[in-house]
Amino acid sequence: MAEAATKPKADVDFNHIRKQFPVLTQQVNGQTLVYLDNAASSQMPARVADRIHAYHRNEHANVHRGIHTLSQKATDAYELTREKVQKFINAKHKDEIIYTTGTTDSINLVANSFSDRFIDEGDEILLSEIEHHANIVPWQMIAERKGANIRVIPVDDNGDIIWNRFVELLNDNTAILAVGHVSNALGTVHPIKKMITEAHKRSIPVLVDGAQAVPHAPVDVQDLNADFYAFSAHKMCGPTGFGILYGKKKYLDEMPPYRGGGDMIDKVSFEETTYNITPHKFEAGTPPIAAGIGLGETISFLNEIGMENIALYEQKLLDYGTEQLQSIDGIRIIGTAKEKASVLSFVHDDIHATDIGTILDQQGIAIRTGHHCAQPTMRRFNVSATARASLSFYNNEEDIDRFTEGIRKAISIFE
Ligand code: 7TS
């Protein structure tokens, strides 16, 4: 992801970093685990698990409402994450960081709340052909409710968007462009900055689904000039049940709350309720406090490694994996975009993806098989399923070797 990657810092010992993930030392089916399902969910370093544990043991109280010391401490720790996220993605204001339960929740928030103010009958919602269902279905639901129409940017046989078609699809009826930064099924890195610039020429706001981008490279929302940017903690070595929606204040202040309840209000009577300010008006109810604090610790961990170092390391590993996979007879890689991140999706001429996944699992190697919650992507490439290895910075060449040996073994079983 050269777009956002900067110069590497000093040498990083990724072998040492791998040792901070206790889960990776276990035996699965008699062999040391090789975990290559990071696009579904990544593993957690010990220090993040320890931080969450310490919160539960010693620091727990509800946030934003207690005068007592424990509640204030919990609130401070929980709110510190907002500042860390702000710096991590270079948002202009802390108030532009909304806590959600994940990417899916972030996109649903925008789809519902943004559409309430900014999408009318006959408007168009522009998506790419290789979106995750989380960036398709919420928009379809809104389109149905509002009488709006979904338009789709096609991709070529490599999985790159067809630029001319994209530009042609932007028009005066386009209410929003909602597009993934990195495809989970193919690994395509969309030219997101260029796409945002093009959409903004027509004053079209852009939501970026960054679920598969934030874990793998530096992301600077101001540089991208994204209007909304969504991601999940659990795909970046953090906890489940927590995510982020970045939104430009100019939109967030105009958008109505999405859920009602405690914490999101200013004053409540039976006649009328007024709402809290951004971001709190979008954060109803008691949140997953421990997970929020856990994300703060995760960001400190990632910052110490350096996202630019992670991007460079993973790119080399992806190149190595691509080369190794291509050397196996009968394997076809699905997704050969100009720029790719972390994903190796493939099929075999004769062996179903599920069989490959099962035989790898018997050797302690975890990959995902199926449609990857991207059925339109599968349809585009005329496959019902792929096998997918997805990388993280704690993987190494040995993992790739075990993985490719495992595939060779699967092929030999079926011969
Ligand atoms: N967007 C993209 C691009 C994703 O890859 C995913 C999850 C989501 C949204 C939804 O994220 P959530 O945290 O809200 O669930 N992708 C995958 C995957 O590739 N395999 O399992 C989940």
Side-chain angles (χ1 to χ4, degrees):
M1 290 177 55
E3 202 171 82
T6 50
K7 279 194 184 133
K9 286 193 216 156
D11 267 357
V12 177
D13 182 355
F14 280 95
N15 262 334
H16 174 70
I17 288 164
R18 181 182 171 103
K19 294 197 180 104
Q20 297 173 42
F21 290 82
V23 73
L24 299 176
T25 60
Q26 74 187 278
Q27 300 285 298
V28 171
N29 296 325
Q31 304 220 37
T32 308
L33 171 66
V34 170
Y35 188 78
L36 293 171
D37 194 19
N38 295 287
S41 200
S42 57
Q43 300 297 345
M44 184 182 280
R47 66 186 263 189
V48 175
D50 290 349
R51 180 70 193 91
I52 292 170
H53 188 58
Y55 168 78
H56 280 305
R57 280 181 74 105
N58 305 315
E59 303 165 41
H60 173 66
N62 212 331
V63 290
H64 300 150
R65 51 201 96 197
I67 182 70
H68 62 83
T69 304
L70 208 54
S71 170
Q72 284 177 2
K73 273 190 173 167
T75 303
D76 289 348
Y78 183 64
E79 284 301 321
L80 181 63
T81 295
R82 213 183 294 273
E83 278 171 41
K84 288 188 180 185
V85 173
Q86 180 202 347
K87 292 200 182 98
F88 189 63
I89 60 168
N90 194 32
K92 201 167 183 178
H93 305 287
K94 196 173 65 161
D95 300 350
E96 293 176 322
I97 306 301
I98 300 168
Y99 290 156
T100 67
T101 62
T103 308
T104 303
D105 191 32
S106 299
I107 296 171
N108 274 278
L109 191 164
V110 178
N112 282 274
S113 172
F114 176 87
S115 69
D116 198 82
R117 200 52 51 93
F118 297 105
I119 298 184
D120 296 315
E121 198 177 336
D123 280 352
E124 295 180 2
I125 298 162
L126 187 56
L127 313 175
S128 94
E129 197 175 10
I130 54 173
E131 296 307 312
H132 186 279
H133 296 165
N135 198 31
I136 299 174
V137 183
W139 297 111
Q140 281 175 326
M141 292 162 77
I142 290 304
E144 199 171 320
R145 205 187 302 162
K146 287 278 180 169
N149 300 304
I150 303 288
R151 294 280 179 266
V152 181
I153 310 160
V155 299
D156 64 19
D157 291 343
N158 294 317
D160 281 312
I161 63 151
I162 300 171
W163 183 262
N164 293 345
R165 291 292 297 125
F166 162 59
V167 175
E168 280 165 19
L169 280 160
L170 297 169
N171 68 71
D172 292 344
N173 292 326
T174 314
I176 192 164
L177 164 66
V179 67
H181 196 159
V182 174
S183 149
N184 70 314
L186 306 178
T188 302
V189 181
H190 279 312
I192 213 74
K193 186 172 173 181
K194 216 172 126 195
M195 292 176 84
I196 292 171
T197 305
E198 199 63 32
H200 283 176
K201 282 184 194 165
R202 289 181 172 269
S203 305
I204 298 164
V206 183
L207 172 137
V208 182
D209 170 354
Q212 300 293 351
V214 171
H216 302 293
V219 168
D220 180 331
V221 290
Q222 288 191 77
D223 178 56
L224 294 175
N225 206 5
D227 300 288
F228 300 100
Y229 198 100
F231 56 101
S232 299
H234 73 97
K235 292 189 198 289
M236 53 191 284
C237 305
T240 52
F242 205 79
I244 298 296
L245 173 66
Y246 159 81
K248 279 188 188 157
K249 216 166 174 313
K250 69 170 181 180
Y251 288 112
L252 296 178
D253 285 345
E254 288 295 309
M255 285 160 50
Y258 164 46
R259 293 197 186 99
D263 226 23
M264 52 73 75
I265 54 87
D266 171 33
K267 285 195 183 71
V268 178
S269 73
F270 283 107
E271 289 70 41
E272 192 198 14
T273 291
T274 53
Y275 302 122
N276 206 335
I277 52 170
T278 305
H280 305 292
K281 76 174 176 189
F282 296 108
E283 297 176 0
T286 299
I289 305 164
I293 292 171
L295 176 60
E297 186 68 17
T298 310
I299 289 175
S300 299
F301 171 73
L302 294 174
N303 281 338
E304 283 170 28
I305 305 170
M307 290 309 299
E308 51 288 305
N309 292 320
I310 287 174
L312 286 168
Y313 177 85
E314 287 187 12
Q315 201 61 53
K316 275 193 203 142
L317 201 59
L318 181 67
D319 291 346
Y320 180 72
T322 307
E323 219 172 84
Q324 295 302 310
L325 201 54
Q326 271 168 342
S327 71
I328 304 174
D329 279 351
I331 291 285
R332 182 160 57 96
I333 294 180
I334 307 292
T336 47
K338 284 195 282 294
E339 226 187 300
K340 278 186 66 174
S342 85
V343 170
L344 282 165
S345 227
F346 61 98
V347 292
H348 185 271
D349 291 342
D350 305 317
I351 310 171
H352 194 273
T354 313
D355 292 328
I356 294 177
T358 305
I359 294 168
L360 288 180
D361 180 55
Q362 286 163 1
Q363 301 168 67
I365 303 159
I367 64 163
R368 184 173 170 186
T369 62
H371 56 64
H372 315 293
C373 301
Q375 288 181 6
T377 310
M378 298 296 110
R379 221 163 282 131
R380 168 61 182 82
F381 287 85
N382 292 317
V383 290
S384 60
T386 73
R388 181 191 70 181
S390 51
L391 312 177
S392 175
F393 55 85
Y394 45 69
N395 291 123
N396 55 27
E397 291 191 359
E398 213 179 305
D399 289 343
I400 301 284
D401 292 342
R402 287 261 314 272
F403 160 66
T404 46
E405 274 161 32
I407 297 172
R408 287 201 168 89
K409 189 166 175 190
I411 294 170
S412 72
I413 291 170
F414 276 84
E415 263 170 4

